[in-house]
Amino acid sequence: MSNLLNSTLSVINVGLSHFADSLDAQGIPTARVKWSPPAGGDPVLARFLRSGLQSIAQKVEEANARAFKHIINAEPYWVGIKRARDVVPGMEPNVILHSGPPISWDRMAPVQQKGILGAVQHEKLAEDEAGALRLVESGAISVRSAMDMGVAGAGAGIVSPSMVVNVCRERNTGKEAYCVPFEGRVGLGVWGVYNPEVEATLHRIETVLGPAIDKALAASDGIPVRNIIAQGLQMNDDTHTRQTAEGYILVSEIIPLLLQADLSNAILQECVDLFVSSERWFHPLGIASALSVLKGIKGMEYCTLLCTMCGNAVDYGIQVSCLGDRWFTSPSPYLTGMYLSPKWSQKDAVPWMGDSCIVEAYGLGAFSGAAAPAVIRLRGGSYQDGIQQSEEMKQITTGVNYNYPIPLLGFSGPPTGIDILKVGMTGITPLAHGGIISHQGGQIGAGVVRLPFECFRDAIHGVSERYGLQA
């Protein structure tokens, strides 16, 4: 014992980091081993995962293999920019969409409420916020989850009938998904902010830029998004927090189409100004493409892969292929990461809000962490941390997507196809990259979030109920 006390300590910390954090503070080197209890420490769930699934195990394996093959072979294309009312099924004049699972008005985060009231004014249904509130509270405005309408809403996810949406179509199935264009660092759709400046930007996008770009895309076969993602992942993008390379590649794809579209020089100049103003123009295309792909596995019998994941700053929700439209929710978690100003901290931020994490369900974002050291560095990590992050996510996925080779993974692809049964067995929940949004709307940072286990636990019980198994 005396030798132990007089020697230099070598410590290995398994699981919770609190002990390692304390030792780090005392300057004692500590090796950290990530570990979570199987089934999240739930003995009933652990027993079900060990033996309760045996009667359907073969069918689940075959269904998941079919779904994974669909994801790998999918070919999403950007085919247009249209008014939401013209392409989104069920988008009636009084419908306003928000991100995340369905939520009642009284439980909704104030930043989303403000976005919805702004959308009512944008639709000219009310002259001011007070009038918009009266319409919402009277039930004259139908507030719905964007995901339930086939739309992916980044951030606040505000979409109204007159707003234009990017249209992405998966060629093998013809399934379409939609996402509003990037308005800038301040806007209604993503940030839930509405003022005269935002209204002017929306008017410009809806009346000038949207029709021009739609005309250019209509005269072509559309732009293959998979090719752009494949190149971007080899140039430090993760297709969620960072799309720098993908944005530049997009410019090289769309400008020739615009030049051939018989547009006036003034409109051409506006379009070029828009695309070179922000590399984030690609972001909504990645989101809509991922959703268009995952729509193809929704409702697949016995398939336990995730087909939807999103949050509304109050609830975080997932949907599982074999369970169709049924939601499973948990309290929405907070991101950790870097704030854009030292004056901001978690007290200024809302919990996870947005549907953009659908790209993680497609194997991008946090699952492609090894591709994007610059993103990992935002929270003080190294490129080795990015590799470890992708390797950890591999434990809960069905395979790797060979269409997206990542140099730091030995040109293997990102882990793809989140299997809720593997989440249950390992206790490892998905990670998601994303922007940190303030209570007032607008981005105040970027980081990563670990999704809550409870919604996965409940979804596994949902599979048990669906097939009459003994939990």
Side-chain angles (χ1 to χ4, degrees):
M1 180 62 77
S2 60
N3 289 338
L4 175 63
L5 295 175
N6 292 327
S7 61
T8 301
L9 285 177
S10 297
V11 181
I12 299 175
N13 184 84
V14 180
L16 293 176
S17 63
H18 301 77
F19 299 111
D21 293 341
S22 298
L23 293 170
D24 281 349
Q26 299 174 57
I28 300 173
T30 307
R32 298 170 184 251
V33 177
K34 290 183 179 177
W35 180 82
S36 300
D42 182 335
V44 175
L45 185 63
R47 187 167 58 251
F48 172 69
L49 290 167
R50 277 198 309 271
S51 57
L53 284 164
Q54 287 181 354
S55 62
I56 64 169
Q58 184 65 33
K59 292 178 179 176
V60 168
E61 183 178 350
E62 292 171 357
N64 288 354
R66 284 198 303 276
F68 180 71
K69 184 178 180 180
H70 161 80
I71 294 172
I72 300 301
N73 291 332
E75 295 186 72
Y77 273 64
W78 182 30
V79 297
I81 294 186
K82 308 282 189 185
R83 298 270 187 180
R85 65 187 178 219
D86 295 331
V87 290
V88 178
M91 196 70 185
E92 300 295 331
N94 67 330
V95 172
I96 308 292
L97 308 183
H98 63 82
S99 60
I103 185 170
S104 60
W105 179 256
D106 60 318
R107 292 186 65 239
M108 189 177 287
V111 62
Q112 261 192 343
Q113 290 181 330
K114 287 181 68 69
I116 288 169
L117 298 181
V120 174
Q121 295 170 79
H122 176 61
E123 292 298 315
K124 313 300 182 193
L125 298 173
E127 293 184 354
D128 53 27
E129 193 170 282
L133 179 60
R134 285 194 293 273
L135 287 175
V136 171
E137 292 183 333
S138 71
I141 299 297
S142 177
V143 178
R144 302 190 58 182
S145 162
M147 278 293 192
D148 279 347
M149 301 280 285
V151 181
I158 306 301
V159 185
S160 66
S162 295
M163 292 170 72
V164 295
V165 291
N166 291 293
V167 182
C168 288
R169 182 183 302 142
E170 201 286 295
R171 281 204 163 180
N172 297 327
T173 63
K175 292 187 180 297
E176 291 184 349
Y178 317 96
C179 188
V180 297
F182 186 67
E183 296 171 61
R185 295 296 176 186
V186 177
L188 177 60
V190 177
W191 310 120
V193 175
Y194 184 73
N195 56 40
E197 181 184 347
V198 168
E199 175 60 37
T201 301
L202 282 172
H203 182 74
R204 177 178 171 230
I205 292 175
E206 292 167 4
T207 60
V208 180
L209 303 171
I213 296 166
D214 188 61
K215 183 178 181 181
L217 290 169
S220 71
D221 290 334
I223 292 178
V225 176
R226 193 173 81 179
N227 294 352
I228 298 176
I229 294 173
Q231 295 176 70
L233 291 188
Q234 296 198 39
M235 292 187 279
N236 294 335
D237 284 350
D238 72 329
T239 322
H240 194 160
T241 296
R242 189 180 192 274
Q243 306 89 16
T244 305
E246 291 160 343
Y248 291 139
I249 297 167
L250 180 66
V251 170
S252 71
E253 295 271 358
I254 189 67
I255 296 298
L257 299 183
L258 290 168
L259 292 173
Q260 297 167 21
D262 192 25
L263 301 170
S264 71
N265 286 341
I267 291 178
L268 271 175
Q269 186 66 55
E270 283 224 41
C271 291
V272 171
D273 289 346
L274 174 78
F275 279 109
V276 301
S277 66
S278 172
E279 77 283 1
R280 300 218 74 188
W281 241 89
F282 185 79
H283 189 31
L285 302 184
I287 295 170
S289 293
L291 182 58
S292 74
V293 172
L294 293 171
K295 278 185 172 182
I297 68 168
K298 194 169 189 177
M300 190 178 287
E301 203 66 75
Y302 292 103
C303 178
T304 56
L305 301 193
L306 216 61
C307 59
T308 304
M309 49 196 285
C310 57
N312 56 32
V314 177
D315 299 323
Y316 195 90
I318 64 171
Q319 291 179 326
V320 181
S321 173
C322 67
L323 301 177
D325 293 329
R326 184 175 175 184
W327 285 100
F328 299 90
T329 62
S330 300
S332 199
Y334 283 94
L335 291 99
T336 58
M338 184 184 76
Y339 289 87
L340 301 177
S341 167
K343 69 180 181 181
W344 288 317
S345 65
Q346 183 172 301
K347 66 179 173 54
D348 301 296
V350 297
W352 180 276
M353 180 174 68
D355 303 339
S356 56
C357 49
I358 194 69
V359 302
E360 267 79 8
Y362 181 47
L364 303 172
F367 286 61
S368 297
V375 175
I376 304 299
R377 187 163 177 75
L378 288 175
R379 55 182 195 271
S382 64
Y383 76 88
Q384 293 96 331
D385 293 320
I387 295 171
Q388 290 177 11
Q389 181 174 299
S390 291
E391 292 293 338
E392 183 191 18
M393 294 298 96
K394 195 180 290 184
Q395 298 179 59
I396 58 172
T397 50
T398 308
V400 297
N401 190 339
Y402 58 78
N403 295 299
Y404 300 141
I406 296 175
L408 288 179
L409 293 179
F411 290 95
S412 176
T416 302
I418 302 170
D419 184 349
I420 63 164
L421 301 182
K422 291 185 177 181
V423 173
M425 286 185 280
T426 62
I428 298 171
T429 59
L431 294 166
H433 289 165
I436 301 174
I437 300 172
S438 82
H439 291 290
Q440 285 72 43
Q443 185 175 6
I444 58 174
V448 65
V449 69
R450 172 80 66 177
L451 303 189
F453 183 79
E454 290 74 16
C455 52
F456 291 89
R457 176 200 62 200
D458 294 345
I460 293 169
H461 287 309
V463 172
S464 168
E465 295 166 10
R466 171 72 179 82
Y467 295 109
L469 304 175
Q470 186 67 42

